[in-house]
């Protein structure tokens, strides 16, 4: 057996250890799997409902696409990622008797050890060491970025990416077709779990092929490309139907891309939930909290420095060009800083006059020169020639983090670069039409960093077993401290209400248009099994915004329009502020009658109001 491949016993022990850590991290979630969800009642309830729907309706059918939310809009399942990858775990749990909430919580819990184990497997293959693999598994499966997105189940299901990298490394090393099959399966799994990660991983994979294969080995490239296409092809019907539905509603997310890009300071910004790094959360909010962890970053940097010192290279004309490019980059940067501090000024070169104004333009030129200097440097060219794993994953982490800054990179709100990599990616299919959160490049970037840091640890400790044991323990404890939460909010799931839905066409809960209320309404649709007008998603159908505005202004005509489709059950919440009270208005309508109440709700039925036919014009004849 290849010493770089762990035994099944090792994998089982690693999985068990990571699973216990996941339970401790989310404690006491495991003691009440049916009654609470982590973080909040927004996305967790949305994912719970989607997993329930996937378990009870045959996927890809018309009935499946037309989920019972956002009534009367068709195709509502396409408004969010359908969570089919998560359903591979959650559906069997529900078929065996688990409640939808328990299935969601168990899927969330197992996402931690599965992601960790996939990274463990990858780094064990690259280093042949269990300690480095354990560090990689912990750093990726429990990295601080995951803690910032505990409520986003689809972003926690990231194990397809390290499995794909593992298959790529094994195929290039062994040239066995089984690893092409494994690659296809890993990409399919990741695509079912998160469309974001599948698209972002294509950039990661392109970098990997450039580094480890190269354009001259066209046979290997063709084989890998064929396997990748085989993995993505089964997803085509899903993505095509989602695209058609998005086109039907004219969804356009391009205006949101810059708002959901990371800031350069995002790599220093952790979630407020983190015990040691929560104080950094004030720098950026939400999607801008992409801190990957201090310990794994230091390991990657220290490993790279040690490798650079041990590397002996011969200077040539390219290395001399590299030094001149670096010097020129430094000079341009100084000019940009002077312009930023003391204001615009002119440079004259004979008849040529150059006006220096915006800092980001000179910084972009300096960054381009520095990049060219790096690419032409003897050390990087030698690392590429040797197919250095440490160098590749370090460079890939930097490139992917740069992509997370989106099409207009900012630092503390000020533009930093003119045309970054993501601006060019937006010219490709998929990036411009369906992606609104470039900041989520942070997860594949964190994966690259975790591999670089773990390989760096292996290089730092070398063959010194005692030193490796001591520093490995320190690294594991420090990584755990980086990601440990001060507290993880656990929120009770919404209470159900008891009302006779009878023959109504739809249910609407009031107040309307607020995330915490609409997600709870979707959650209760699992109970009453009637289409609900409420809904929550990343994309909203056009009628939803208009309806929300009308109901905010207490326009009861909007309710009468809905009732024109069929009888409408209205559930009006009692425990809300006075301006949000609906009961007095509904009681005053002739077309509405009370059908029940409990401590928290008053229920009404609104039947269609017959529209009187216009009287025939005088002297006209009936035909």
């Amino acid at each position: 057996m290849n010493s770089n491949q762990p035994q099944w016993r090792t994998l089982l022990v690693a999985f068990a250890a990571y699973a216990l850590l996941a339970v401790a991290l989310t404690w006491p979630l495991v003691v009440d799997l049916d009654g609470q969800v982590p973080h909040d009642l927004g996305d967790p309830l949305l994912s719970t409902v989607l997993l329930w729907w996937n378990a009870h309706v045959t996927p890809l059918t018309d009935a499946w696409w037309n989920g019972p939310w956002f009534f009367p809009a068709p195709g509502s399942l396409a408004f969010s990622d359908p969570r089919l990858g998560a359903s591979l775990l959650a559906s069997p749990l529900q078929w065996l008797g688990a409640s939808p909430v328990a299935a969601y919580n168990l899927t969330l819990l197992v996402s931690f050890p599965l992601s960790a184990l996939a990274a463990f497997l990858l780094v064990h293959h690259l280093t042949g060491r269990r300690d480095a693999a354990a560090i990689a598994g912990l750093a990726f499966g429990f990295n601080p970025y995951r803690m910032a997105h505990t409520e986003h189940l689809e972003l926690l299901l990231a194990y397809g990416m390290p499995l794909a990298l593992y298959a790529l490394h094994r195929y290039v090393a062994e040239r066995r077709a089984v690893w092409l099959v494994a690659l296809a399966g890993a990409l399919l799994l990741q695509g079912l779990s998160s469309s974001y990660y599948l698209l972002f991983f294509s950039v990661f994979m392109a970098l990997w092929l450039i580094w480890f294969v190269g354009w001259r080995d066209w046979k290997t490239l063709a084989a890998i490309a064929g396997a990748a296409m085989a993995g993505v092809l089964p997803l085509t019907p899903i993505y095509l139907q989602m695209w058609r539905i998005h086109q039907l509603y004219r969804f356009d997310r391009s205006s949101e891309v810059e708002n959901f890009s990371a800031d350069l300071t995002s790599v220093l910004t952790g979630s407020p939930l983190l015990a040691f790094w929560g104080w950094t959360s004030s720098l950026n909010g939400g999607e801008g909290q992409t801190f990957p962890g201090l310990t794994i970053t230091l390991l990657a940097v220290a490993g790279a420095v040690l490798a650079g010192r041990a590397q002996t290279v011969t200077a040539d004309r390219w290395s001399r060009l590299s030094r001149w490019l670096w010097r020129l980059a430094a000079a341009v940067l100084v000019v940009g800083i002077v312009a930023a501090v003391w204001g615009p000024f002119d440079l004259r070169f004979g008849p040529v006059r150059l006006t220096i104004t915006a800092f980001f333009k000179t910084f972009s030129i300096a960054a381009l020169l520095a990049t060219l200097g790096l690419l032409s440097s003897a050390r990087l060219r030698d690392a590429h020639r040797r197919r250095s794993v440490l160098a590749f994953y370090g460079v890939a982490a930097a490139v992917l983090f740069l992509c997370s800054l989106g099409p207009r990179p900012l630092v503390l709100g000020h533009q930093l670069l003119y045309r970054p990599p993501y601006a060019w990616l937006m010219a490709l299919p998929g990036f411009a039409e369906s992606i609104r959160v470039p900041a989520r490049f942070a997860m594949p970037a964190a994966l690259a960093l975790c591999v670089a840091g773990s390989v760096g640890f292996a290089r730092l400790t070398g063959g010194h077993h005692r030193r490796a044991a001591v520093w490995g323990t320190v690294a594991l404890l420090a990584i755990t401290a980086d990601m440990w939460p001060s507290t993880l909010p656990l929120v009770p799931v919404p209470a159900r209400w008891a009302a006779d839905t009878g023959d109504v066409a739809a249910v609407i809960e009031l107040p309307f248009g607020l995330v915490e209320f609409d997600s709870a309404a979707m959650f209760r649709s699992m109970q009453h099994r009637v289409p609900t007008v409420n809904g929550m998603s990343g994309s909203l159908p056009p009628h939803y915004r208009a309806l929300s505005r009308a109901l905010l202004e207490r326009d009861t005509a909007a309710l009468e329009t809905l009732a024109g489709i069929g009888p409408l059950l209205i559930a009006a919440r009692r425990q809300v502020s006075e301006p949000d009270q609906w009961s007095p208005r509904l009681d005053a309508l002739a077309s509405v009658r009370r059908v029940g109440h409990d401590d928290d709700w008053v229920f009404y039925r609104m039947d269609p109001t017959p529209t009187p036919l216009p009287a025939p014009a005088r002297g006209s004849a009936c035909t």
Side-chain angles (χ1 to χ4, degrees):
M1 181 176 179
N2 190 331
S3 61
N4 279 24
Q5 309 314 318
Q7 298 180 353
W8 285 107
R9 183 182 301 172
T10 301
L11 294 177
L12 289 174
V13 170
F15 181 84
Y18 292 137
L20 288 174
L21 182 59
V23 170
L25 192 74
T26 58
W27 186 265
L29 176 63
V30 72
V31 300
D32 188 13
L33 293 172
D34 291 309
Q36 55 190 354
V37 292
H39 203 279
D40 60 57
L41 293 181
D43 283 278
L45 292 188
L46 171 63
S47 291
T48 299
V49 175
L50 292 175
L51 296 180
W52 166 78
W53 186 250
N54 292 340
H56 292 85
V57 181
T58 305
L60 305 186
T61 61
D62 288 340
W64 181 73
W65 284 109
N66 296 319
W69 321 286
F70 295 106
F71 176 88
S76 59
L77 199 77
F79 299 171
S80 293
D81 198 311
R83 315 293 200 271
L84 284 173
S87 291
L88 296 176
L89 301 169
S91 289
L93 291 172
Q94 293 183 72
W95 297 336
L96 292 173
S99 70
V101 177
Y104 166 81
N105 283 327
L106 288 171
T107 303
L108 181 144
L109 285 171
V110 81
S111 73
F112 287 90
L114 285 179
S115 297
L117 189 65
F120 180 100
L121 189 64
L122 170 61
V123 172
H124 197 291
H125 169 73
L126 296 175
T127 64
R129 290 178 51 170
R130 284 179 292 184
D131 53 358
I135 288 172
L138 181 65
F140 180 64
F142 298 85
N143 69 76
Y145 181 71
R146 290 175 62 90
M147 298 310 302
H149 290 278
T150 312
E151 73 275 26
H152 294 128
L153 179 63
E154 70 279 15
L155 299 186
L156 302 181
L157 300 170
Y159 41 84
M161 292 187 288
L163 289 178
L165 291 170
Y166 174 72
L168 284 168
H169 281 288
R170 292 295 299 268
Y171 176 72
V172 169
E174 303 172 19
R175 306 291 171 166
R176 294 172 57 197
V178 64
W179 298 116
L180 293 176
V181 176
L183 171 63
L187 293 176
L188 176 61
L189 178 63
Q190 191 59 75
L192 289 171
S193 301
S194 173
S195 55
Y196 268 98
Y197 290 164
L198 180 66
L199 195 59
F200 291 170
F201 186 71
S202 66
V203 178
F204 199 162
M205 191 169 166
L207 296 173
W208 192 97
L209 292 174
I210 292 170
W211 188 272
F212 289 105
V213 179
W215 62 271
R216 289 186 177 88
D217 191 355
W218 62 269
K219 290 184 178 179
T220 301
L221 289 175
I224 292 174
M229 291 179 62
V232 173
L233 191 61
L235 301 170
T236 305
I238 302 173
Y239 292 154
L240 277 179
Q241 183 65 2
M242 291 183 70
W243 179 81
R244 292 190 190 102
I245 294 172
H246 286 202
Q247 291 298 110
L248 172 67
Y249 291 105
R250 297 183 180 180
F251 289 149
D252 182 10
R253 295 182 165 185
S254 59
S255 62
E256 300 177 282
V257 171
E258 290 188 12
N259 294 334
F260 290 108
S261 296
D263 187 274
L264 185 62
T265 59
S266 291
V267 295
L268 305 175
T269 308
S271 166
L273 298 179
L274 298 177
F276 287 94
W277 301 108
W279 59 272
T280 64
S281 62
S282 60
L283 282 173
N284 297 279
E287 297 286 354
Q289 297 168 351
T290 64
F291 176 59
L294 177 63
T295 305
I296 198 67
T297 304
L298 292 178
L299 287 175
V301 172
V305 170
L306 181 63
R309 289 181 176 179
Q311 186 179 1
T312 303
V313 295
T314 303
D316 56 13
R317 60 180 181 178
W318 289 105
S319 60
R320 289 191 290 272
L321 174 63
S322 174
R323 288 193 293 271
W324 278 107
L325 287 169
W326 277 100
R327 291 167 184 165
L328 185 57
V332 172
L333 181 60
V334 169
V335 170
I337 293 174
V338 170
V341 175
W342 284 283
F345 63 91
D346 294 336
L347 289 177
R348 293 181 181 273
F349 302 94
V352 178
R353 177 183 175 183
L354 182 62
T355 301
I356 307 299
T357 54
F359 172 74
F360 74 88
K361 292 182 178 179
T362 52
F363 184 82
S364 299
I365 296 172
L368 176 60
L369 292 171
T371 301
L372 294 174
L374 177 64
L375 293 176
S376 58
S377 67
R379 293 189 184 278
L380 186 65
R381 286 184 290 114
D382 181 67
H384 178 252
R385 179 184 57 79
R386 294 182 293 103
R387 302 294 190 260
S388 167
V389 170
L390 177 58
F392 166 73
Y393 282 101
V395 170
V399 173
L400 296 169
F401 272 119
L402 179 59
C403 288
S404 75
L405 302 182
R408 187 170 169 264
L410 304 175
V411 54
L412 296 176
H414 299 283
Q415 187 169 355
L416 186 64
L417 290 174
Y418 173 59
R419 291 283 291 177
Y422 196 89
W424 297 97
L425 288 175
M426 289 187 70
L428 301 176
F431 282 93
E433 296 88 354
S434 57
I435 297 300
R436 66 168 183 157
V437 192
R440 292 177 180 176
F441 253 111
M443 183 63 90
L447 171 59
L449 182 64
C450 291
V451 177
S454 303
V455 174
F457 168 81
R459 181 175 288 272
L460 288 167
T461 53
H464 301 277
H465 300 295
R466 181 174 297 178
R467 184 169 65 183
V470 172
W471 286 108
T473 302
V474 171
L476 290 171
L477 291 174
I479 292 170
T480 303
D482 279 342
M483 60 80 181
W484 198 261
S486 57
T487 180
L488 182 64
L490 298 177
V491 188
V493 298
R496 299 184 176 187
W497 45 251
D500 183 12
T501 54
D503 60 345
V504 299
V507 171
I508 185 171
E509 292 191 8
L510 302 175
F512 183 90
L514 300 175
V515 168
E516 62 271 24
F517 291 160
D518 289 343
S519 60
M522 288 183 65
F523 180 80
R524 279 184 279 268
S525 71
M526 297 188 300
Q527 169 205 0
H528 55 66
R529 309 295 180 93
V530 176
T532 178
V533 181
N534 304 76
M536 176 205 163
S537 178
S539 299
L540 299 175
H543 86 272
Y544 193 83
R545 292 184 176 89
L547 179 61
S548 179
R549 179 68 179 178
L551 294 179
L552 182 65
E553 297 175 354
R554 300 298 180 269
D555 184 356
T556 56
L559 296 174
E560 293 171 347
T561 301
L562 286 171
I565 302 173
L568 185 66
L569 179 67
I570 304 171
R573 188 185 295 265
R574 282 180 165 174
Q575 278 76 17
V576 293
S577 60
E578 185 64 29
D580 293 328
Q581 291 285 350
W582 269 92
S583 293
R585 293 178 180 271
L586 294 174
D587 286 328
L589 293 178
S591 59
V592 173
R593 58 186 174 89
R594 285 198 183 203
V595 293
H597 65 86
D598 60 25
D599 292 339
D600 301 317
W601 300 88
V602 181
F603 303 102
Y604 299 87
R605 178 186 174 99
M606 177 179 280
D607 290 302
T609 303
T611 303
L613 296 175
R618 187 182 299 275
S620 64
C622 296
T623 58

